[in-house]
Amino acid sequence: TLSWMLFAALAFVAVVLLGMISILFPMLSRFENSFGALLKNTVFLAMANLPRTAILGVINAAALFLCARLVAPLFILPSLAALFGSYAIEPMFAPYMNDENAAE
């Protein structure tokens, strides 16, 4: 049972890290920071919104798993994962966007 608990903990950490990586590029495209500040802000934003980060990690992990196992989803699944991921990311960025950036 200890091995299953360790596996579950490692799987959760992996999903959260995948969610953080998935937040990194949208953060880069919206805000101007140095690389260190970008990583720090991504970690803080991901931890402040941990349920959304986990959902984002699960979406991307499921898409990655299905695309690795089957050929047919390879054509549509990455774009669907990006679309559903944007629904998880947009509310995270909303408090930090000013009116000019939100309109763009």
Side-chain angles (χ1 to χ4, degrees):
T1 60
L2 180 62
S3 62
W4 283 106
M5 290 188 322
L6 288 175
F7 175 75
L10 182 63
F12 179 74
V13 169
V15 164
V16 169
L17 284 175
L18 184 61
M20 281 185 195
I21 292 169
S22 301
I23 294 171
L24 188 65
F25 181 72
M27 180 86 74
L28 176 65
S29 69
R30 302 249 176 124
F31 305 107
E32 294 181 19
N33 286 322
S34 65
F35 185 70
L38 179 70
L39 288 177
K40 182 184 77 159
N41 291 337
T42 300
V43 169
F44 287 152
L45 185 66
M47 289 300 120
N49 298 292
L50 193 58
R52 288 187 186 273
T53 304
I55 288 170
L56 188 60
V58 167
I59 289 170
N60 288 325
L64 180 67
F65 176 76
L66 287 174
C67 286
R69 301 283 290 168
L70 304 170
V71 175
L74 188 62
F75 299 107
I76 190 76
L77 204 52
S79 60
L80 286 177
L83 176 67
F84 292 136
S86 70
Y87 289 131
I89 290 174
E90 285 299 320
M92 289 184 196
F93 288 160
Y96 306 107
M97 302 293 289
N98 57 16
D99 293 334
E100 295 171 4
N101 290 339
E104 294 175 3

